[in-house]
Amino acid sequence: MDINENLIEREAASCQTCGRQFSAAVFRHPLNASRIVSRQLHCEPCIETEKQRMATAEATRRAERAEEEMRAAWERICPDEFRTRLEGGKTDEARLEREQPQLREILAHPLGSRGLILRGPTGAAKTRCMFRLLRRYFCASPRPRIIAMSAGRFDREARDAAGTFTLTKWFERLAHADVFFLDDLGKGRWTEATAGQFWELVDDRTKHDRPIFITTNLTGETLAESLGLQRDIAEPLVRRLRENCEMATLTRSKS
């Protein structure tokens, strides 16, 4: 609504912020010109400075909220053990870089249709390296949907979902994620049903060019045996992983 200029007057005043003299606006009531509704207490430069301060403060609050949301989202993906110290975790990034010379090559793996399998003995920092790669993906824009879990958790969730008749929903969530990482594949014996779900997941994701990331202590041959898969499933599973994933063999640091 336009303000009737007849209801606005100017009078000399001292700015309550800086103390300088300025021409303050005085607003009168539209129905009673003798009644002053409000008067300007601060000069224009101080008003503009306050607006800028408030805008900066709001931008800072938004940035802090975004940072907190990002931190919480990463913590849901990456366990404390594998987050760096800057991320509030226990991994010494400098030490990891020293002890695992292949880290730089691992971090160069592009996010696309091809996944990555890190194989090697316990203590070769396979999981730490993989989470560093996932962190790089996590920080991309737009942020990909990342699901990371251990082989043991995969087994538990598969059995729980089957028992509660939510297996389809659970499977679809894993199948449609932009990034799926399974840690310590072959560690612990799965049920035949769990192994079957893993084969279905590999089959679905590779058919739709969605990458799979895996760490394991085993070779392809020993992996099939460890999972307890029948030969008619084991052979195509290993072949599919080899066809759709790069492979890197890590060794344990001697230091």
Side-chain angles (χ1 to χ4, degrees):
M1 181 177 66
D2 293 335
I3 298 176
N4 189 332
E5 293 297 329
N6 295 327
L7 303 178
I8 302 177
E9 297 177 357
R10 293 282 175 175
E11 63 179 31
S14 296
C15 175
Q16 293 191 5
T17 300
C18 67
R20 289 194 294 264
Q21 292 292 306
F22 73 105
S23 180
V26 177
F27 300 88
R28 296 187 177 277
H29 195 281
L31 301 179
N32 183 359
S34 64
R35 178 183 172 190
I36 296 177
V37 177
S38 65
R39 56 167 39 91
Q40 185 178 350
L41 301 178
H42 308 275
C43 66
E44 298 299 335
C46 287
I47 291 174
E48 185 60 31
T49 298
E50 178 63 12
K51 287 180 179 178
Q52 292 178 0
R53 186 196 68 78
M54 293 178 66
T56 300
E58 178 58 26
T60 299
R61 285 192 293 271
R62 287 198 301 269
E64 290 174 347
R65 286 196 298 269
E67 184 177 350
E68 177 60 24
E69 290 170 0
M70 184 174 182
R71 182 193 63 77
W74 179 238
E75 288 182 358
R76 289 192 292 270
I77 294 169
C78 182
D80 176 75
E81 180 68 25
F82 304 114
R83 297 197 300 273
T84 65
R85 291 176 179 173
L86 288 177
E87 299 163 358
K90 300 178 181 178
T91 292
D92 184 331
E93 198 165 11
R95 178 180 177 183
L96 178 61
E97 291 174 354
R98 290 195 307 270
E99 295 184 352
Q100 188 42 262
Q102 289 176 264
L103 177 61
R104 181 172 298 182
E105 181 180 349
I106 292 168
L107 294 180
H109 185 83
L111 179 56
S113 61
R114 292 189 65 76
L116 177 65
I117 299 175
L118 300 183
R119 189 182 71 82
T122 299
K126 301 183 298 297
T127 304
R128 295 184 195 278
C129 288
M130 191 66 87
F131 272 115
R132 290 302 88 214
L133 175 61
L134 296 191
R135 176 68 182 188
R136 186 171 68 81
Y137 296 157
F138 177 82
C139 292
S141 180
R143 182 184 301 166
R145 293 167 298 168
I146 300 174
I147 293 179
M149 62 177 61
S150 66
R153 178 181 163 190
F154 184 91
D155 182 39
R156 291 190 300 274
E157 289 193 3
R159 289 187 283 112
D160 287 348
T164 57
F165 303 100
T166 58
L167 189 57
T168 297
K169 182 178 180 180
W170 174 81
F171 181 90
E172 291 297 315
R173 185 174 68 90
L174 271 55
H176 293 162
D178 297 309
V179 174
F180 176 71
F181 167 42
L182 190 66
D183 187 33
D184 267 337
L185 179 60
K187 187 174 183 179
R189 197 170 186 84
W190 283 350
T191 65
E192 183 177 349
T194 296
Q197 288 299 318
F198 181 64
W199 157 243
E200 292 291 340
L201 182 63
V202 170
D203 183 57
D204 189 282
R205 290 188 64 84
T206 54
K207 283 180 179 177
H208 293 90
D209 291 332
R210 298 187 184 108
I212 299 171
F213 298 84
I214 292 172
T215 60
T216 184
N217 292 2
L218 308 175
T219 63
E221 293 72 19
T222 56
L223 176 61
E225 179 182 351
S226 176
L227 293 177
L229 294 171
Q230 298 296 321
R231 184 173 180 179
D232 61 336
I233 296 180
E235 290 183 355
L237 170 63
V238 172
R239 183 176 66 252
R240 191 70 64 84
L241 288 174
R242 285 173 172 165
E243 290 173 350
N244 291 275
C245 298
E246 301 294 336
M247 177 78 72
T249 301
L250 277 59
T251 57
R252 185 185 300 138
S253 171
K254 296 179 181 180
S255 60

